Structure formats: structure tokens, C-alpha cells
Amino acid sequence: IDECLQTPNPCAHQCRNVPGSFRCLCPPGTRLLGDGRSCAGLERGQIFTNGTRISARLRPQLVSSLGRPILSRSNGVSRITRQSCPVGYTSRDGSCVDVDECLLKKPCQHECRNTIGSFHCLCPPGYKLLPNGRSCKDIDECVEQGIQCGHSQMCFNTRGGYQCLDTPCPASYQSGRRPGTCFRPCSLDCTTGGSPLLLQYKLLTLPSGIPLNHNVVRLSAFSESGILQERTSFTILEQESVTGMVGRVFDIKDEAGRGIIFTRRVLDRPGLVRLKVQATTISEQGRITYQSIFIIYISISAYPY
């Protein structure tokens, strides 16, 4: 693509197309600014005081797309106006000075670094900058880097990193086809007594700042034929704060055959919480027809994104 043919022209003075990009050139006696597009040089200003011509010290002077100093004339005195300064600059005491967009606009989601004539957004480790140049998105290391965890482990992508978590199956269970799934074989009647038939590990990562009484997880129980089991109740058997937050952070409620996990406090600090949830399906005759266990790891980020 020849960017030099675009309107408006990307360069203040002269544009040269190069493979995959472009390069801005400046007239003799000037230099390219940090934005890679504007030019600045030095001219010897002349100030008139009481009709006397005085040579002033050298001062920076911006150059227009025509290669001439950006000036307006008022009462015979050359001056720089706000309108004549390029984007990223403002007029101050007759000169174009850089605007610190980081202080004025807060344009970045995470961190802003001011540059000459512009700004640059930075993201925390484990995040990448989106194409808009302002917002950050978590990098899924488990997928993008192909992390291979050990035997009986799952790669848990957290916001800003990852963990290899142990997902062992109990002694009487076998590993399922999907990672983090264990099932208990049964020969004749699988609905009467004994241990739950299925154990599943679930991984969830949340941003910080989620308010009180906010729904974060929805669990469902389905039959082998894929029918939702509406007569199912959900109970949190264990809740452990592995790191960070202390005390009971989450709770659960039944809602039309689904278990809704919600917050009991504002998620205002990073941490890792482990939940053990039991789902029990009861027939119309009051008999337990199905039971399963969910082991849920919930990671809370240090950032609200």
C-alpha cells in the first residue's frame, strides 16, 4: 500500500513509500520529530521593539507541509497560533509545545506514556494492546503458547498469567475424555446411593471490581440425552481461599434447575478461590436420580479488565 497517496498525507513535508510502510522526510536545516511525521528546525527570530530591530536567540520552529515555518502575521510581528500547531501540540508564548495527552485526556486503559506530539499506551505483563491502541486484553497463554501441563493437570489461564492446576480423579473414578472430567463406573443401578457419578473441574477468571450480589457462574445439570434437569439443587460443600481474599467470597442459589454462583462481597483484591459444589437431581417420587461434583477455581485479577 502506498501510504503517501492517502488523504490527508501522513507526513508534514515529504513522504517516501517503502515496502510495508512509509518514511517522512524533512527539508534541509530541520529534523524529524518523535512522532515520525512532523519537522522542526531553528530560525533566528527578529523582534521589533520601539522600531529597533533586535536579533533574538535561536528558537524551535515547526515546519508546515509546504516546508515553510508555520506563522501568522499580526501588526508586522510573526507569531505562532494555536490553530497553526499540528496535532499533539499547542501554542504557548508564541511557540508550539507538546501536549501531554496522558495528563489531559487519560486515554489509556492501563498506563500512558507521553511522546513528542503523541502518546503511547502500555499494558501490564500478560496483557496485549488491542488494535485501538488504548485497551488491554489478557493473553491466553494456555492457547497461544500451547502450555503443556503435567499428568492430571489443567492449564488455567488467569488474567495476566497462567497456572498448572492439579485435577486428580478420586480412587474409584476414571478420567473422562475431556480434560478435568472424572466419572464413576457403575454396572447395574447407577442412581442408588454411593458416590456422585461425575466430577468436573471448572476454571474461571474474573476482573477486579465486581460488585456485591453479582452473578458470576451458572451451573446446569443435564441428563445423558441432553435434557435439562430442573429438579436439581446445588450446594457449596467447601470454599477455600487459596491466595488473596479471606472468608466466604461466593454463595450459590437455585434458579430453575441451575445453580447461580454470586458474590457476597466486592471483589476488590486479587486472589484464587476454590469451590466444591454438589448438584443433586431428585425425581418426582423424591428419589435421588443423579449427583455430580464441580470443583471450581475462580481467579480474581488485580485489574478491572
Side-chain angles (χ1 to χ4, degrees), residues 192-259:
T192 57
S195 303
L197 298 177
L198 188 66
L199 186 149
Q200 301 178 68
Y201 288 89
K202 299 293 183 182
L203 312 175
L204 175 70
T205 178
L206 299 174
S208 66
I210 293 181
L212 172 72
N213 292 324
H214 188 83
N215 298 341
V216 295
V217 181
R218 183 177 67 178
L219 302 174
S220 301
F222 291 89
S223 67
E224 293 181 356
S225 57
I227 300 175
L228 177 67
Q229 302 298 294
E230 296 186 352
R231 300 176 63 87
T232 302
S233 61
F234 295 82
T235 306
I236 294 180
L237 302 180
E238 299 174 8
Q239 182 164 178
E240 174 191 3
S241 293
V242 181
T243 60
M245 306 187 75
V246 180
R248 197 171 181 87
V249 183
F250 300 99
D251 213 332
I252 197 166
K253 57 186 176 183
D254 294 335
E255 189 176 282
R258 294 177 171 87

Side-chain angles (χ1 to χ4, degrees), residues 32 41 72 77 80 93 128-129 135 166 211 217 254 261 281 283 299:
L32 196 64
S72 66
V77 178
I80 295 178
D93 298 330
K128 59 184 176 182
L129 199 63
S135 304
D166 293 327
V217 181
D254 294 335
I261 296 178
T281 302
S283 68
S299 172

Side-chain angles (χ1 to χ4, degrees), residues 4-27:
C4 297
L5 297 178
Q6 296 176 354
T7 303
N9 193 287
C11 297
H13 177 64
Q14 182 179 349
C15 179
R16 177 177 294 173
N17 186 54
V18 296
S21 185
F22 64 92
R23 183 177 299 160
C24 293
L25 304 175
C26 294

